[in-house]
Structures are given as C-alpha cells and as structure tokens.
Amino acid sequence: MTTLHLGCGLAFHPGVINLDLYDLTAADVQANALRLPFAENSITHIEAYQLVEHLGYAGTLYTLAEWARVLAPGGTLVIETPHRSAACLAAAQADPPASALHWLFGLSWPGYNHRTLFDESDLRAVAEQAGLAQLEITRPDAPQPTLRLCAIKSSDALTNLSARLHTGFVAAGIINPLTAPPYLAHLETICSRILSAVAALPQDGPEACLAAILGASARYDPRITLVALQALIAQDLAPAAAARPHIELARSLISEGLPARMAACLRQSQAPPGTQTVRLRRFADQVSLYLTSRLHPQEAALRPVSDWFDSITITPADRQITFFCAETVALLARQETARGIRAFAHNHLAAAQQHLHAAASYDVDNPLPIWNLARLALAENRRLDALGHYAALIELLPEAADALQAEMDAVTDRQPENLAAFLGPVSQEALE
C-alpha cells in the first residue's frame, strides 16, 4: 500500500510519502501537487490537509484530476480544507481572533495564501468533475471551520476520460490552471462536448465521434484534439486505426501553428465596427470548412478555402495567439493598442501605425486603436484617412458623437487653431 501525504509542510507522517513544493523540512519528495512524479494507477491512498484552498478553483479541479490519475482503481482520497461560509462568519465578528482571519485569507508566506474557499456544493462539483466518486463530505469537529472530503477513484469510463483530459491539457502545455487564463471556460465547454461525442459512440460510431472531437477542439487549439484522441485510444474508447488520420492532421496543425494562422486570417477579414461577435461566429464556420478541407483534401470544392487560409502571412503578433477564442483575440488587440500608443508617444510613427492597425483588425469593436489611428493620420497630415477613422468611431461610440465631431471639425479646418490638441495619442482613461 502506497500513501501520499501532499502539501505536508512541517507535518511529517511516518510510513507514507510526504510531499511538498516549498518546505523540505519534513518532505520526502519535493514536487508540485499539480504534476506528481508517480505513474498512473500507482497510489492506493492520498491525504491532503489544508492544501486545495491555496490552488484556486481551476487549480483545484486540475490538481484533483492529477490525483485521480495516480490513484489505483478504488484508491481513496481524503481532503480537508476551510469551510467557506463558516470561515467568513468567524472572520466577520466584531473582534475576530487572528486565527479566523488566517483561516479566511491564509498567510503571506510563499504558498500559504488562500485563493479559493469551498462550501459543500462546489467542493462536490469540482471533485466529481475531476474523476472522483462515492463522495462523502463532512464537517469534522475541529478548532477551525473545516470541510472533509472522502472519495474514491471512479470506475466510470467517461468520468476517467474527463480526468485524463484535464491532466493531458496540463502535460501538453495548453494550460497552467494556477494562472487561470482567459480561455479556461472554453476548455471546460470543449471537455463537455468531447464527453458528449464519446457518450454517443454506440449510436453514432467512431467516425462521427472523431469528427465531432476535431470540430469541437481544433478550432481553438489542435493540441486539445491530440490530447483527446490519445486519451480515447488509451482507454480503448476508439480504435487507433480510425483515429490515425485525425491524429496526423492534429499534429500537422500544431506544427503549422493553427491558432496563429487563424489570428492572421481574422486580421485579414474586413468587418465594420460593432460586428465583432457576428464576425467571430462567421469565422468559426470558415474554420470548420478549413478543417474539413484538410481532413478530406480530395474534395475539390473545398480547395479554395484551404488555399486562402494557407496563403495568409503570419506575423509575430499573430503568433502570440496559442489558443484562439474571443477573449484571447481581444487581449491581443489591447496589447497591440498599448504597443501602438507607446510607439506614437515616442514619435515612432511607422511602428505605431503597424501596431494600431493590427489591433483594430483583430477586434473591430475596440475604439481605442481606431481613435489613435485617427490622431496618427492627423499627425502625418493624412486628413482623409483621419476622417474615415472618425466616422467609424462615431458609428461605434454614438454617445461620444459630439466630442468626436469636434475633432472632425479640426480635421476639416473649420477650427484649424485647435488641430494641435489632437496630434498626440489618446489612452484608455479617455474612454472612461
């Protein structure tokens, strides 16, 4: 029998493997609980006391999936963590004891701050999602408000597949759940769609399942596709021969940098302000056609789609997108806007034009790069270009039409003495 005591800190438990990331005073092994150095199905029992509250909700989900990975079939898990409601009530007293505040917020030492506290319902939900079963949650008699979770590794194939997907995402570098990236919710939606496709295998057959997984995942990040297909094969849920073309395509798309290519293609697609949501929806349909054309290259009718996608030049800015979704595109647009404003302020006008134009191309609903492009056009005496940008701004920000019209008046020389006021960059604060 092999037992792990995770996040041991200064508490050494004889006869078990004590593990900690930060403090090696009592630890037998130094390792991250999110990536355990143990083989699948190799551990019979895991104990983790006052650990998951330091990981955040997403970190707890992915860490529990990792623990489910190393647990042997029927292996057991015991977790203790602060009870959120009780801890909040204790800390909300008129004169709370210091221990109540520590129980709520943790300590300022490395690894001791609290990121998420759980109640019974959300602790149960995250444990089930991570591949655990026979959950028993109690409130033990302890000096501090505590929840105790006892569970075993699930024997359900779909539940184990969910856990395998989560650990696969971390191993493939798709996500570091401790940083909670902006696409975290998309990953959970993709997991649900993959599990639905697998659940329909008996009725739909492997080809339909594999096509559904490709369509649900590759348009975000083909690494997800590869993780999912390898997980299906590892659990004997799909024949390796049927999955081989999809695996080869996923590997090709990874090597080609598909998310960056999608960013480049989106940047090249023209759209008026106020249409980003519709634009992304239509673009998703185009990406689906592109994936179909790559999976079935013999289809001549789809060749123009693949030819257009493959002809687009990918820029360094495009390569910052490793997971394609609305949130990462919007973040890239904000980053390019900041770079453009900085270049504009330092009078590097060519660089400013490049960054601001890219920002406006990624996210047509962000007014800040358009506004700065208008001012940049004024600084370079390109007044017709400036008028076009102002017209787009007024369409995007009708509530600011009067102020923008005043700037347009300066552009058309109706108020030439005010033109100098509009020759510099404008920052985010001006929109607020």
Side-chain angles (χ1 to χ4, degrees):
M1 175 177 177
T2 304
T3 295
L4 295 183
H5 175 209
L6 302 179
C8 65
L10 299 177
F12 177 80
H13 290 187
V16 307
I17 300 174
N18 297 275
L19 182 148
D20 200 279
L21 177 60
Y22 297 102
D23 196 324
L24 302 184
T25 306
D28 302 303
V29 176
Q30 182 181 20
N32 190 334
L34 185 61
R35 297 293 304 278
L36 294 174
F38 303 104
E40 186 174 339
N41 301 325
S42 63
I43 305 298
T44 52
H45 182 70
I46 292 177
E47 300 171 352
Y49 303 108
Q50 318 314 326
L51 174 58
V52 297
E53 63 272 15
H54 303 292
L55 305 176
Y57 188 90
T60 299
L61 168 62
Y62 280 81
T63 302
L64 290 181
E66 170 67 356
W67 299 352
R69 178 189 70 82
V70 302
L71 277 175
T76 56
L77 170 69
V78 175
I79 294 171
E80 287 189 1
T81 188
H83 185 283
R84 182 175 64 227
S85 300
C88 288
L89 288 173
Q93 298 177 40
D95 187 19
S99 60
L101 296 177
H102 294 161
W103 204 244
L104 187 61
F105 299 110
L107 300 169
S108 58
W109 309 337
Y112 278 79
N113 59 304
H114 289 179
R115 299 180 62 184
T116 297
L117 300 187
F118 293 90
D119 273 346
E120 288 91 336
S121 59
D122 42 25
L123 184 58
R124 180 179 299 277
V126 74
E128 289 176 344
Q129 198 172 359
L132 299 167
Q134 295 186 22
L135 306 177
E136 179 184 346
I137 299 178
T138 58
R139 297 181 59 179
D141 184 16
Q144 299 90 2
T146 302
L147 283 178
R148 175 180 290 159
L149 167 72
C150 298
I152 69 168
K153 181 172 182 174
S154 174
S155 59
D156 178 71
L158 283 180
T159 304
N160 286 332
L161 177 61
S162 176
R164 191 182 290 269
L165 290 174
H166 285 91
T167 57
F169 295 158
V170 176
I174 297 168
I175 182 174
N176 176 356
L178 299 181
T179 62
Y183 51 82
L184 180 64
H186 289 286
L187 269 179
E188 294 309 305
T189 299
I190 295 167
C191 277
S192 297
R193 291 174 178 169
I194 292 171
L195 294 175
S196 296
V198 175
L201 254 173
Q203 296 81 27
D204 298 344
E207 285 298 331
C209 173
L210 295 170
I213 290 173
L214 177 70
S217 58
R219 65 187 180 92
Y220 295 96
D221 184 343
R223 291 177 297 174
I224 303 173
T225 312
L226 187 59
V227 167
L229 296 176
Q230 290 174 336
L232 259 65
I233 294 172
Q235 291 194 209
D236 294 324
L237 293 171
R244 188 172 298 115
H246 300 79
I247 289 177
E248 291 175 356
L249 175 58
R251 286 176 172 155
S252 295
L253 295 173
I254 292 168
S255 65
E256 296 165 13
L258 178 62
R261 183 167 298 283
M262 288 191 289
C265 291
L266 181 72
R267 179 171 46 80
Q268 292 291 322
S269 63
Q270 300 299 315
T275 61
Q276 183 73 354
T277 300
V278 175
R279 179 194 191 200
L280 287 171
R281 190 180 303 127
R282 290 175 177 171
F283 186 67
D285 294 336
Q286 292 175 318
V287 174
S288 295
L289 283 176
Y290 174 68
L291 293 173
T292 303
S293 72
R294 292 294 301 272
L295 190 61
H296 303 287
Q298 70 278 8
E299 296 289 340
L302 295 174
R303 197 162 298 144
V305 178
S306 59
D307 289 346
W308 181 74
F309 266 81
D310 293 338
S311 68
I312 297 296
T313 300
I314 300 175
T315 68
D318 300 326
R319 295 191 186 281
Q320 296 176 70
I321 296 290
T322 58
F323 187 107
F324 186 92
C325 64
E327 291 80 2
T328 55
V329 168
L331 176 60
L332 178 57
R334 293 195 298 272
Q335 291 170 338
E336 285 296 289
T337 300
R339 294 183 181 104
I341 291 173
R342 183 176 60 195
F344 192 177
H346 288 288
N347 205 36
H348 303 315
L349 301 188
Q353 173 80 14
Q354 179 181 353
H355 289 302
L356 293 171
H357 180 73
S361 300
Y362 290 128
D363 185 357
V364 296
D365 286 356
N366 185 349
L368 196 54
I370 304 174
W371 200 346
N372 278 283
L373 282 169
R375 288 173 171 245
L376 181 60
L378 288 180
E380 296 182 326
N381 203 30
R382 294 182 288 106
R383 299 198 178 187
L384 286 178
D385 289 342
L387 282 173
H389 293 312
Y390 278 118
L393 271 176
I394 290 174
E395 183 178 347
L396 190 58
L397 298 173
E399 69 277 9
D402 291 343
L404 294 170
Q405 186 66 51
E407 294 195 27
M408 289 182 69
D409 288 343
V411 175
T412 55
D413 280 334
R414 279 179 278 178
Q415 297 174 2
E417 67 280 4
N418 295 330
L419 181 58
F422 306 116
L423 296 183
V426 60
S427 63
Q428 179 68 33
E429 288 75 12
L431 295 176
E432 298 173 348

